[in-house]
Amino acid sequence: MKDIKSVSMKNQILGETVAFLNQEKMDCPVTQEGLVELISQLVYYKEEGKSLYPEIYVFDDIDLIKKVIPTSQFCPIGTGEKTKATMLKALKKCAPLTDGGWVIYILRKENAFDYGVFRNGTPIHSVSISEALIDSGSEDLKAILIHQVAEKIIEVRGVTADSLLISFGSQHDSTNSPTENLSKFVDKIILNVPETLKEASKNFFVKLFLEVLQKGHGTLACVIKGSKNEIPKRLEDGIKLSERINVPKMIAELIDKGDLKANSILEGRFSLIAGMMQSDGITVFTDKGEVAAYNVFVKHPEKFLKGITTGGARSRTFLTLSILIGNGLEAAYIQSQDGKIEYK
């Protein structure tokens, strides 16, 4: 009888988290074990049959977090012994509370974990928590983020260490974060947005694309020049908006007025555009931060795609859009249902 070789993905993830925490100077045996369990739980996380996509932040100094995000709102939920069981309890008790921008926190103390939820209490175009704590964070902050970025893909990010991307599917290249190409595509959408509104506009669109990504829905998008009111003829087979959705203009009005009505309008457009992106076909953006059309279809030029046998209709459409770059299109984007993202 042949010997059986046992391969544990959990051991591999543990080894990676040990190295990750060492780089972040947050090494701790309990945190290591807790991270592995959280990663495993987040892959198919549900409460009452509803899929949830909570962000979990682990940090050591809540007062420093409040200084970095002065508009943050905290709601403590519980405390427990410094064990992986408490980390899992934090997920269980707090995940259902993470609608409306709330995220989970786990505060590491000498002999205990405190946990609860917090949010950045500013409008939807404001700097995200991950941007403030991770992307623009300092080594002194000592904070890490664990979240599901797409179906079967968990990302662990810190301030100094290379991000960990753990794929539980077979289709994804785990060496590239889906969020990298997403960010590059958004840069094309805001290319000709006024400088004073670029950061806020990027925050809005990144949150928008992440919303669609986390829902596990595939989408196609492209960018055209915003200097003309017309769209290229090849993109006319769809729903062209008689009045483009000008996101930077709405953000400017919100900044100027700062009232609930302006904020409500911006949030409403957020949901509307997300729905457009989850429709069949292509969503057409301009490089001035506008939505020009959606539910757009293009004909596949067989002479260019001849011989291509892999991928479905969405992949072929992305290849078609790629061919059109420089001839009416500025950029093309595809997001598959398993979270794989390509950008050209």
Side-chain angles (χ1 to χ4, degrees), residues 175-186:
T175 61
N176 296 314
S177 171
T179 57
E180 291 179 10
N181 285 337
L182 185 158
S183 180
K184 291 177 182 177
F185 184 72
V186 168

Side-chain angles (χ1 to χ4, degrees), residues 150 172 177-186 209 212-213 217-223 277 281-283 285 300 310-322 325 329 331-344:
H172 193 268
S177 171
T179 57
E180 291 179 10
N181 285 337
L182 185 158
S183 180
K184 291 177 182 177
F185 184 72
V186 168
F209 275 75
V212 177
L213 179 62
H217 200 289
T219 193
L220 282 161
C222 66
V223 178
M277 293 176 65
I282 306 156
T283 305
F285 297 88
H300 302 159
T310 59
R314 186 176 284 137
S315 295
R316 287 174 172 265
T317 300
F318 175 69
L319 289 174
T320 301
L321 292 176
S322 300
I325 292 175
L329 266 66
Y333 175 94
I334 182 174
Q335 173 185 303
S336 62
Q337 287 180 306
D338 64 359
K340 186 175 181 179
I341 287 174
E342 291 183 62
Y343 146 80
K344 288 187 179 180

